[in-house]
Amino acid sequence: MSYEPVIGLEVHVQMSTDSKIFCTCSNKFGSEPNTNVCPVCLGMPGVLPVLNEKVVEYTVKAGLALNCQIRKKSVFARKNYFYPDLPKAYQISQYELPICEHGYIDIELEDGTQKRIGITRIHIEEDAGKLNHEAGCSLVDLNRTGTPLMEIVSEPDLRSAEEAKAYLMKLKTILEYIEVSDCNMEEGSMRCDANVSIRPDSNAPFGTRAEIKNVNSFRNVERAIKYEQKRQEKVLNEGGKIVQETRLFNADTGITASMRGKEDAHDYRYFPDPDLVPIVLEDKFIDDLKEWMPELPDAKRARFMSEYGLSGMDADFLVSAKAYGQYFEQAVKAHNNPKAVCNWIMGELMRRLNDKQCTIFEAGISPENLAEIVKLIDEGKISGNIAKQVFDETAETGKNPSEIVAEKGLVQNSNEDELEAIVKQVLDANPAETERFKGGEVKLQGFFMGQIMKASKGKANPAVVAPLLKKLTS
Amino acid sequence: MLGKTLKELSEALNKKEFSSAELTQFYLDRIRKYDDDICAFNYINENVINQAKAVDEKRAKGDTLPVYAGIPMALKDLIIQKDMPATCSSKILEGFVPPFQGTAAQLLEDAGFLCLGKLSMDEFAMGSSNETAYRKKTRNPWDTSRVPGGSSGGSAASVAAGLTTFALGSDTGGSIRQPASLCGITGLKPTYGRVSRFGLIAFASSLDQIGPMTSNISDNAAILSVIGKYDKKDSTSLNVAQEDYTKYLTGDVKGMKIGVPKEYFAEGIASDVRECVNNAIKAYEGMGCEIVEISMPHTEYAVATYYIIATAEASSNLGRYDGIRFGFRAEADNLKEMFYESRSQGFGDEVKRRIMLGTYVLSAGYYDAYYIKAQKVRTLIKQDFVNAFEKVDAIICPTSPTTAFKAGEKMSDPLQMYLSDINTISLNLYGGCGLSMPCGFGADGMPVGVQLLGKYFDEGRLYNLAYAFEQQAKLPVMPEKLK
Ligand SMILES: [Zn+2]
């Protein structure tokens, strides 16, 4: 029997504010253990939290970008539990009155259609510390304690592991656009728990769900959900029952294992935090952030398609990171050939980014450089092959593409007389192939073009060579 | 040096009638002489005499000094003073020395005060007799077989015994006013949000407030003028301008309307207490005040409401004492056991009782029936005060139902102990200000306190009323034998 999975995601995103949520400690990742701490985030007796207003700003930005309703008055609550990485024995979070609710994002499915995924709520909370397990002991690092988090909870609208991954990627892109988080799953600045259940068909009521924790990459989200889906199917097909539980994903083995059952679930004893006053937002605050909001991926995609005549696939690529779109538009401004610029970004530039593990603006090729290369091709000054050489030289030396072309004599040869001599020379050197070509073996065209290119050291303009070849062999 | 107000001490120091070192030594000597019996000090700052000498040197050089430079005082042991132990009279905080400064202590330091040490209290401010303290169970200076009240028992006793010029206490359900009443001194619980809670180790965050405990009204007004300041470090601190409360000490109270709530004179109030308070009411009438009988119908629910809200907050606030980062840690084989053992051995019975009660009222399935219900009743109790203050300027009533009781008398019966605060608790639920001052002596010769309750940020009016009574009553403020 086959089943349909029903998936909802709870995503924790660390906000990239300068300081922590309730104290003035640095919010930097990767410092020496227990150096970004103070009496407040250490939870010493006698201290009090003071809300970092940037945290509210960032969360409202996210709420607006994710089409949420913004609650004018929201409240912090304490979530009580004991754990060595939680100094106060409670986490300050939001429970009954979260700051953002009822949003959505649209994701693109593989068949090219769009699907709307509901967002139940976004709330603000503080991160806990970290336990580093070493041989025989666990060491507590409280640098992360008090890092501002937003928890983004989706509706159970996702119906496959692929959809879940697409949702996450889209979420990451949007949050990067509004610059509230770097959303680095490997560094833990974006973490995901998945609620997974299955049901016989799309009209059946939801099945009992398992919550999968500890999923820390986009690939693993897909793997964990697929595994869990199969596991649940197996249980049902064997006549068993799914139990409500929390399961832990193991990235090494690719399986999920039960962590605790429903009966062991914590009673967090939430109640409003009496040390903090409600967050009360004024209309102007929200309006100013709406005003500030940059063009988001969906709008940018539509514009790239209509304004630059790009395909959906090309536009998808360019909006997948904010910097790509910026780079693209800057290059097109310098030389108006959007399709070619886009191809160069997707091809050569991405190859270089992968090799160098750098960002697009650090690759050594400015948008103006790239535009110049495309322009040189368009003007017939260099061939595509030469252009790749010029691209690499530009990146390595920092010189202008035209400079390199001039210096190295790489200008494309379009001189008919000179090229005719080369073509003749190639035909003479290959009498057998020439006869066969004349006899109608058209596939030899490529062979001759290659030989001509070689003889011209890559500088022959193919557009001039092709008619010459035809003329001399007819 | 005893019996001088802070203002007089400041003038005497400026005129070099005596030095700060002499004044400080005077109090250190008294602590040494009397504190074995009274047991008020958890910690004595041995360095204070050097700090006093440093002030004297500056004074000798003609440096500009803050107004109270070189005057010693003491703090309840849940108020953070940087680099001095802060134990809350609990085993679980033994050895904890805060590496940061609390706001109240900083403001006192800025005003020139020196800290003699830290004063005993009921463990984590939970108690009304100072008997839940882990080590120093403070006794009443008027009769050391009796309790000083609590939880600020060490603060009240040290002021009454002249072991310090004044002390700071904290009041969650009467913890300043009740011991002030039992020890015959003046204690003020400021409006919630008047004094910063940054540096106050929390019992119940929505109710706690630091306040001055003094031997006269003038000192009390002077200290609140120093510590009553908006503080960005406390989100519940209210941005209300700092005031000089001594300007209200005029003696003129004519035309003031004072409400007498019948619910505060219920059966449990001892007849001698009732008589003293009635005399105070008559005195106000004589000074031209209008006495109005009022009713605050939800008063009877205050104790129950308070014990739900306060314990709920406490159960969460006290979670951080887990043996990991500071204070007492029990030896154990694994982490979970270490948590259990540290807390089991580190907390006393009353604290455990309240943590369990608070945990219960917040638990799934009980939250609505207890915590939410209590919040609703709290709103009704607040409304009682709002309604009352539409009719009157202040409310007058007994602070404590009885004078100081014998040590051990109520320890076996927590409910009886909780009823000691029956007249003080409602005010904390409302959030306004309240002052207790001596108004006579009971049949047992122990002090009786009268309480004045005021609306939000109306401390000036309470001082005005209290000062007028003090000037007229001229009651002894210290046991004869300690003079
Ligand atoms: Zn910090």
Side-chain angles (χ1 to χ4, degrees), chain B residues 200-222:
Chain B
L200 169 64
I201 299 180
F203 160 17
S205 312
S206 76
L207 302 161
D208 294 342
Q209 193 66 194
I210 292 175
M213 302 179 74
T214 60
S215 52
N216 60 71
I217 307 297
S218 152
D219 286 0
N220 210 291

Side-chain angles (χ1 to χ4, degrees), chain A residues 153-364:
Chain A
V153 182
S154 86
E155 291 286 308
D157 288 347
L158 300 157
R159 293 291 176 268
S160 70
E162 291 76 15
E163 285 186 22
K165 189 182 169 197
Y167 166 84
L168 267 186
M169 304 278 278
K170 188 65 173 281
L171 190 59
K172 175 184 153 86
T173 307
I174 293 172
L175 296 177
E176 281 173 349
Y177 265 61
I178 58 172
E179 293 169 350
V180 297
S181 172
D182 52 21
C183 295
N184 188 329
M185 282 193 97
E186 281 67 34
E187 282 182 4
S189 65
M190 186 174 187
R191 307 193 288 269
C192 178
D193 299 336
N195 288 309
V196 181
S197 66
I198 56 172
R199 56 179 175 178
D201 60 73
S202 54
N203 295 318
F206 290 166
T208 305
R209 69 196 162 92
E211 186 184 4
I212 317 299
K213 285 201 174 287
N214 199 26
V215 203
N216 53 13
S217 74
F218 291 99
R219 197 171 80 91
N220 284 339
V221 170
E222 230 179 328
R223 284 172 74 206
I225 292 172
K226 280 189 170 149
Y227 174 84
E228 182 58 20
Q229 192 183 334
K230 283 214 184 78
R231 185 192 69 83
Q232 293 187 13
E233 282 173 4
K234 189 161 177 272
V235 170
L236 291 187
N237 285 335
E238 286 169 359
K241 260 181 107 173
I242 307 293
V243 289
Q244 189 177 330
E245 61 184 350
T246 303
R247 300 179 70 86
L248 214 56
F249 177 70
N250 183 328
D252 297 330
T253 58
I255 68 168
T256 67
S258 182
M259 189 172 129
R260 60 170 176 261
K262 191 186 176 189
E263 59 282 359
D264 299 321
H266 291 297
D267 179 357
Y268 290 117
R269 307 191 312 278
Y270 282 99
F271 74 106
D273 191 332
D275 284 335
L276 289 160
V277 291
I279 306 171
V280 177
L281 301 178
E282 293 185 8
D283 288 334
K284 185 173 180 321
F285 176 83
I286 300 170
D287 291 343
D288 286 352
L289 291 181
K290 279 183 187 160
E291 195 69 23
W292 167 90
M293 197 58 61
E295 186 180 36
L296 294 175
D298 287 348
K300 185 165 279 182
R301 179 181 190 269
R303 184 169 65 80
F304 278 10
M305 290 172 73
S306 66
E307 192 174 326
Y308 301 115
L310 295 175
S311 70
M313 241 177 72
D314 287 348
D316 279 343
F317 173 80
L318 289 176
V319 302
S320 68
K322 192 178 188 179
Y324 296 176
Q326 279 171 353
Y327 188 101
F328 166 78
E329 293 211 272
Q330 228 170 296
V332 170
K333 209 168 157 194
H335 176 66
N336 191 14
N337 185 347
K339 178 63 193 161
V341 167
C342 177
N343 286 344
W344 272 86
I345 293 173
M346 286 166 76
E348 287 306 295
L349 193 53
M350 283 302 124
R351 182 179 55 76
R352 191 170 171 82
L353 255 56
N354 276 331
D355 288 350
K356 302 281 167 196
Q357 287 296 306
C358 61
T359 69
I360 195 163
F361 284 102
E362 292 165 358

Side-chain angles (χ1 to χ4, degrees), chain A residues 20 22-25 36-42 145:
Chain A
K20 292 186 179 181
F22 295 122
C23 63
T24 54
C25 285
N36 293 339
V37 292
C38 71
V40 174
C41 56
L42 289 174
T145 311

